Amino acid sequence: MSEYLPPQQPINDPGVALECERAIDGAVRELIDHAIVAGWPPEAAFEAIKRATERQAMAYHEDPDPADDQVEVRPPTGFSLAPF
């Protein structure tokens, strides 16, 4: 995939979404091409990308930076599924 360039206008500018679309268009086209070459029907590939981006957008809105989340530490139970 090609390198992504940062926005050239302020990120709160109404035109920044169009600028971003232009910046990622090649990567999306490449992803679609890979799916089609792998045997997926174009309509399925486009629908899958649409649904995946919608799902990821919802997850981002719920938790924009999951790395900031506290990790739940569970006490050891003494039980293991290890084969030894």
Side-chain angles (χ1 to χ4, degrees):
M1 281 192 206
S2 61
E3 185 176 322
Y4 296 101
L5 300 174
Q8 299 302 304
Q9 53 192 331
I11 60 171
N12 59 351
D13 187 285
V16 78
L18 181 59
E19 182 182 353
C20 183
E21 181 183 337
R22 290 179 181 143
I24 67 171
D25 187 65
V28 172
R29 187 177 319 116
E30 185 177 336
L31 181 58
I32 291 288
D33 288 347
H34 284 298
I36 293 169
V37 168
W40 295 100
E43 298 80 13
F46 287 118
E47 184 63 26
I49 287 177
K50 177 181 159 187
R51 292 179 65 190
T53 56
E54 288 170 351
R55 185 175 53 256
Q56 289 179 25
M58 286 184 351
Y60 177 82
H61 287 295
E62 290 174 8
D63 191 359
D65 193 354
D68 288 346
D69 295 350
Q70 290 184 340
V71 176
E72 179 183 339
V73 178
R74 296 182 182 179
T77 62
F79 179 74
S80 174
L81 295 176
F84 46 86

